[in-house]
């Protein structure tokens, strides 16, 4: 008999037959009921269960208890770079607590790109995803945005434990978790001004982007503390792509700036390429800072300094919050911002 065949037939009745006791005795032993059998027989039952690769029917058990021990995850788009790591954080925590996950991917980026104007369609997808997971009897849901922004949609099930991940609800009646971009931007500003840079070029994301705005708010706070004035009208805006970093760098270089802060690593990579064209050595002639700590930042020589958002920790925290609501039968409404990590590399240098 193959191992696969053993796994298929392994039931409590099989263990009972092998050990010469009733199925009820096996069930009581495996469920930890004291006095269900002698110590020797208990060891025999546990050994048989191990040899047969027995796995308890948790679905039947949970249905009996009117529990499914499952969490729903709705991703706006699973293919966006930061989403899988947050999903992994959720799954890791749920697994440690005996919960399973059910995933629903709405594929927003593939459907809409960065266009969030048609809220009717977004709402329709949102409501359908929530309803589908509720129909599968999940006990709570984590909703993952692929851009940090305000979400106007909320579940039509007021008693359902629900947490917004990498985004936040318009109405402050649900918990949410996202990175502290404002503090991260401040830390980048402190590093660059601490190295003596006063003329810093900025390549931001699209106008109105929440992540970019927070990063810039923190960065400008650091500049003010250092007594450095900055004309916000000189901020250049890209589309998060490498080409837009390169094209904006052409407006900055050659020029007077001694450092450039690109608000993501892809655009920073475009800046790096422009520096090479001009014969400028990053980390010697000019300082360069990116954001996201992606592989694209580390493949350059020198590697580009960057900010790493706590994606895995964000997922774990969301799972913790949704499970806490399930176990306590209460509603949590806090807004949690988790700190980012700066990775200082040889792309930054004193002025």
């Amino acid at each position: 008999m193959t191992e696969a065949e053993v796994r298929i037939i392994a039931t409590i009745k099989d263990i009972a037959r092998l050990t010469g006791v009733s199925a009820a005795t096996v069930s009581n032993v495996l469920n930890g009921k004291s006095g269900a059998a002698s110590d020797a027989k208990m060891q025999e039952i546990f050994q048989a269960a191990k040899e047969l690769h027995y796995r308890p029917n948790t679905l039947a058990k949970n249905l009996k208890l009117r529990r499914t021990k499952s969490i729903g995850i709705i991703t706006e788009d699973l293919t966006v770079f930061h989403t899988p790591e947050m999903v992994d954080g959720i799954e890791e925590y749920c697994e440690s607590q005996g919960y399973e996950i059910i995933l629903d991917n709405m594929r927003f980026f593939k459907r809409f790109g960065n266009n969030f104007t048609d809220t009717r369609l977004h709402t329709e997808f949102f409501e359908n995803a929530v309803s589908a997971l509720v129909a599968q009897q999940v006990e709570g849901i984590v909703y993952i945005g692929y851009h940090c922004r305000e979400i106007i949609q909320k579940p039509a099930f007021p008693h359902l434990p629900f947490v917004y991940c990498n985004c936040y609800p318009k109405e402050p009646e649900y918990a949410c978790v996202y990175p502290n971009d404002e503090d991260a931007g401040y830390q980048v500003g402190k590093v660059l001004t601490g190295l003596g840079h006063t003329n810093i070029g900025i390549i931001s994301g699209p106008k109105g982007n929440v992540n970019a705005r927070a990063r810039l708010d923190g960065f400008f706070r650091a500049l003010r503390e250092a007594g450095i004035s900055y004309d916000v009208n000189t901020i250049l805006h890209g589309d998060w792509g490498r080409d837009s970093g390169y094209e904006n760098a052409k407006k900055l270089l050659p020029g007077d700036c001694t450092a450039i802060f690109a608000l993501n690593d892809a655009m920073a990579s475009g800046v790096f390429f422009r520096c090479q064209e001009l014969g400028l050595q990053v980390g010697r002639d000019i300082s360069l800072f990116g954001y996201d700590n992606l592989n694209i930042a580390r493949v350059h020589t020198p590697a580009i300094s960057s900010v790493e958002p706590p994606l895995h920790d964000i997922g774990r925290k969301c799972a913790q919050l949704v499970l806490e609501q399930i176990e306590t039968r209460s509603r949590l409404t806090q807004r949690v911002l988790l700190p980012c990590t700066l990775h200082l590399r040889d792309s930054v240098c004193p002025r």
Side-chain angles (χ1 to χ4, degrees):
M1 184 178 294
T2 67
E3 181 177 329
E5 290 172 326
V6 170
R7 288 181 185 273
I8 292 173
I9 66 168
T11 66
I12 284 179
K13 290 182 179 179
D14 297 318
I15 299 171
R17 223 172 6 248
L18 187 63
T19 57
V21 297
S22 68
T25 297
V26 173
S27 177
N28 288 334
V29 169
L30 295 179
N31 283 294
K33 187 174 181 180
S34 61
S38 67
D39 290 346
K41 183 58 70 174
M42 288 173 62
Q43 291 302 317
E44 185 182 350
I45 289 170
F46 284 127
Q47 183 61 32
K50 181 179 179 181
E51 291 176 356
L52 291 174
H53 303 282
Y54 170 75
R55 294 184 64 184
N57 188 342
T58 54
L59 177 60
K61 181 178 180 180
N62 287 331
L63 288 176
K64 184 177 180 181
L65 297 173
R66 298 186 178 180
R67 297 286 304 274
T68 62
K69 300 282 281 188
S70 63
I71 297 299
I73 302 176
I74 300 174
T75 62
E76 289 189 337
D77 201 299
L78 189 59
T79 65
V80 177
F81 77 90
H82 58 246
T83 303
E85 189 63 26
M86 290 187 285
V87 170
D88 187 65
I90 296 169
E91 184 169 19
E92 179 186 82
Y93 186 82
C94 286
E95 182 181 288
S96 73
Q97 302 300 311
Y99 280 77
E100 297 182 345
I101 67 165
I102 301 175
L103 180 66
D104 190 306
N105 178 33
M106 297 191 295
R107 302 177 59 246
F108 271 12
F109 186 73
K110 295 294 182 65
R111 298 178 194 273
F112 309 116
N114 289 317
N115 180 8
F116 298 104
T117 58
D118 193 341
T119 56
R120 178 188 59 82
L121 268 178
H122 287 92
T123 299
E124 182 179 332
F125 279 108
F126 178 95
E127 291 176 348
N128 288 342
V130 172
S131 296
L133 289 173
V134 169
Q136 296 180 74
Q137 298 183 312
V138 297
E139 297 189 51
I141 291 177
V142 177
Y143 181 89
I144 303 178
Y146 71 92
H147 278 314
C148 187
R149 68 191 193 284
E150 179 182 270
I151 305 293
I152 65 171
Q153 294 85 3
K154 63 180 181 179
F157 304 88
H159 300 297
L160 177 71
F162 199 94
V163 176
Y164 292 83
C165 179
N166 197 46
C167 55
Y168 50 91
K170 181 177 182 180
E171 303 297 335
E173 53 186 293
Y174 292 95
C176 57
V177 186
Y178 52 95
N180 194 337
D181 280 318
E182 195 274 341
D183 179 70
Y186 173 76
Q187 297 301 330
V188 173
K190 292 287 286 184
V191 168
L192 293 178
T193 57
L195 290 170
H197 295 284
T198 58
N199 195 340
I200 304 170
I202 298 176
I203 303 177
S204 179
K207 292 182 178 179
N209 181 271
V210 172
N211 300 86
R213 184 68 264 167
R215 295 168 194 176
L216 291 175
D217 286 346
F219 188 76
F220 290 141
R221 178 159 63 91
L223 295 188
R224 289 193 300 271
E225 289 183 2
I228 300 171
S229 60
Y230 199 97
D231 183 358
V232 295
N233 295 316
T234 63
I235 297 174
L236 301 177
H237 293 273
D239 61 5
W240 301 122
R242 185 174 184 270
D243 289 345
S244 70
Y246 172 77
E247 292 300 326
N248 278 310
K250 289 168 67 174
K251 301 173 185 177
L252 294 170
L253 303 172
D256 297 328
C257 64
T258 61
I260 294 177
F261 179 26
L263 268 60
N264 81 333
D265 289 337
M267 295 191 299
S269 180
V271 174
F272 196 102
F273 183 59
R274 175 57 177 165
C275 290
Q276 286 183 317
E277 283 187 339
L278 296 172
L280 296 173
Q281 176 64 52
V282 172
R284 185 190 66 190
D285 304 316
I286 190 167
S287 289
L288 178 60
F289 225 110
Y291 210 103
D292 291 327
N293 198 42
L294 300 181
N295 287 334
I296 195 173
R298 298 192 289 271
V299 298
H300 292 284
T301 305
I304 300 172
S305 298
S306 190
V307 176
E308 180 180 6
L311 304 178
H312 193 82
D313 290 343
I314 288 172
R316 282 185 59 89
K317 185 62 177 179
C318 287
Q320 178 187 338
L321 291 176
V322 78
L323 263 60
E324 182 179 342
Q325 293 177 78
I326 292 169
E327 299 301 330
T328 62
R329 299 181 183 274
S330 62
R331 170 75 65 82
L332 299 178
T333 61
Q334 66 256 50
R335 181 170 295 199
V336 180
L337 279 72
L338 296 183
C340 302
T341 302
L342 263 65
H343 294 274
L344 297 179
R345 303 184 176 110
D346 291 340
S347 69
V348 295
C349 58
R351 178 186 173 189

